[in-house]
Amino acid sequence: MKPLLSLSALIDRINEGVGQAVKWLILVMVIISSGNAAVRYIFNTSSNAWLEWQWYLFAAVFLLCSGYTLLRNEHIRIDVVCGRLSRNKQIWIDILGTVFFLFPMVILIMTLSWPMFMKSFLHNEMSGDAGGLLRWPVKLMIPVGFFLLLLQGTSELIKKIAILTGDRPDPGEHGHHHHTSADGEAV
């Protein structure tokens, strides 16, 4: 179990790093949005490229931080039902949900989005709007974002199994996330 917990810790570090880097895009998005609004009201003009940058940045934050959100246990849950169950049953629900719902959905979206990205990339697809941007970079974020989510789902699955086998301490009844060291110990 120790090598798997080391892999889990590596995945956690990757998604933590991505989340910490991508969060700065929110500030960039706010600056671009504010600047675009100011230019529109002051000079009565606008740019499709700047509007699309806002859209691209929102897509980047949403897609690239999905694994980070799962790492931080900030994803949507049905705690009304799970909160009444024993911790062991909660862990089993997480395991089954990951294997039978998260993994198939993520793999399906990655599989369907890759050809869409490749077609856009090979044709150097541009926005249909005047002054718009290339489309393939934003389309690449779909499979990349879901790959990061797949990685984090794998990490969470490893940690849940390690809790059940006693190879890792349970971070708590409320599912609070604790960082793990390379050997899988809660820090």
Side-chain angles (χ1 to χ4, degrees):
M1 195 69 185
K2 205 167 194 149
L4 288 175
L5 285 169
S6 293
L7 173 64
S8 172
L10 173 64
I11 293 169
D12 289 354
R13 284 192 303 275
I14 290 168
N15 272 309
E16 180 72 30
V18 169
Q20 293 300 318
V22 171
K23 74 179 179 183
W24 289 101
L25 295 181
I26 296 170
L27 176 61
V28 174
M29 195 169 35
V30 168
I31 291 168
I32 289 173
S33 179
S34 301
N36 202 29
V39 167
R40 188 172 56 245
Y41 288 112
I42 295 170
F43 300 108
N44 200 26
T45 187
S46 186
S47 163
N48 287 330
W50 288 110
L51 291 171
E52 288 187 17
W53 269 113
Q54 289 173 236
W55 174 59
Y56 281 26
L57 292 169
F58 177 78
V61 169
F62 180 80
L63 290 166
L64 300 178
C65 285
S66 59
Y68 177 73
T69 302
L70 183 59
L71 168 67
R72 293 292 180 171
N73 199 28
E74 297 293 329
H75 56 289
I76 296 172
R77 305 181 66 87
I78 307 173
D79 287 336
V80 173
V81 174
C82 288
R84 298 173 190 221
L85 301 175
S86 70
R87 184 66 180 138
N88 231 21
K89 288 179 182 173
Q90 290 174 358
I91 292 170
W92 273 106
I93 287 172
D94 284 346
I95 290 171
L96 296 173
T98 298
V99 171
F100 293 109
F101 295 102
L102 179 68
F103 286 169
M105 182 267 313
V106 166
I107 291 168
L108 178 66
I109 291 173
M110 285 173 45
T111 303
L112 294 175
S113 65
W114 186 255
M116 180 182 70
F117 155 71
M118 286 303 298
K119 181 179 176 184
S120 180
F121 178 75
L122 292 173
H123 291 106
N124 211 25
E125 181 185 5
M126 294 292 295
S127 167
D129 297 323
L133 304 174
L134 282 171
R135 288 290 166 118
W136 67 263
V138 77
K139 289 184 178 183
L140 176 60
M141 284 187 247
I142 300 169
V144 169
F146 278 92
F147 179 71
L148 290 169
L149 182 58
L150 177 68
L151 285 178
Q152 195 59 46
T154 302
S155 174
E156 297 305 313
L157 183 63
I158 291 167
K159 289 184 278 192
K160 297 295 184 196
I161 292 170
I163 291 168
L164 289 178
T165 60
D167 292 308
R168 180 177 195 270
D170 189 346
E173 298 245 339
H174 303 292
H176 296 291
H177 176 269
H178 292 280
H179 292 284
T180 55
S181 62
D183 62 358
E185 293 298 314
V187 179

